[in-house]
Amino acid sequence: MALNRDFVGRTYPPSAPYEVSRVKIREFAAAIGDHNPLYRDQEAAQAAGYPDVIAPPTFPIVFSLQSGGGALVDPDLGLNLAMVVHGEQRFEYTRPVHAGDRLVMTSTITDIRTAGRNELLTVKSDVRTVEGEPVCVTYNTIVERGGAG
């Protein structure tokens, strides 16, 4: 069954704030095997001109689907979560995420398309501080395997 194309263009309200901590950044860096001192050492990060430790570039995956996640479980979309795999993730940065940030996301379903027997859904999330400062934009494409046809 094809996904409901009427969902393209739907925007979901800002998520609850996500509080970025040094511990969360350190745990994420450890999980991906990155030992960059800017992710672990406040003094090193400050010496490099950052207010605190910064997060690895892929860190927003931790929270980027919070805002648009409601769409993915909406039965009217027609997504079979049992058949979903991660397709692609990319990030466009205005500035790095750092410890102490309180971030909110507004997400929009930007594309739903068929590729062979699969359905691809792309969600764009604008990530800002609670004060409104732009931080990054995430693009997440998920694949529903065997969904078309």
Side-chain angles (χ1 to χ4, degrees), residues 58-107:
T58 55
F59 183 80
I61 190 65
V62 172
F63 56 84
S64 67
L65 283 179
Q66 285 181 352
S67 176
L72 302 182
V73 296
D74 186 328
D76 292 334
L77 175 61
L79 184 66
N80 180 351
L81 292 173
M83 299 302 290
V84 167
V85 295
H86 186 263
E88 177 186 1
Q89 184 80 41
R90 67 184 172 92
F91 309 89
E92 295 174 358
Y93 277 90
T94 302
R95 69 151 174 88
V97 172
H98 59 75
D101 277 338
R102 294 185 64 234
L103 304 174
V104 293
M105 291 136 296
T106 301
S107 298

Side-chain angles (χ1 to χ4, degrees), residues 40-53:
R40 300 163 181 274
D41 182 335
Q42 184 181 15
E43 288 180 9
Q46 288 175 335
Y50 300 108
D52 208 321
V53 294

Side-chain angles (χ1 to χ4, degrees), residues 1-22:
M1 182 172 139
L3 297 179
N4 184 345
R5 265 62 175 171
D6 291 341
F7 274 63
V8 173
R10 286 192 188 184
T11 297
Y12 296 83
S15 62
Y18 179 87
E19 296 188 23
V20 180
S21 71
R22 289 184 197 124

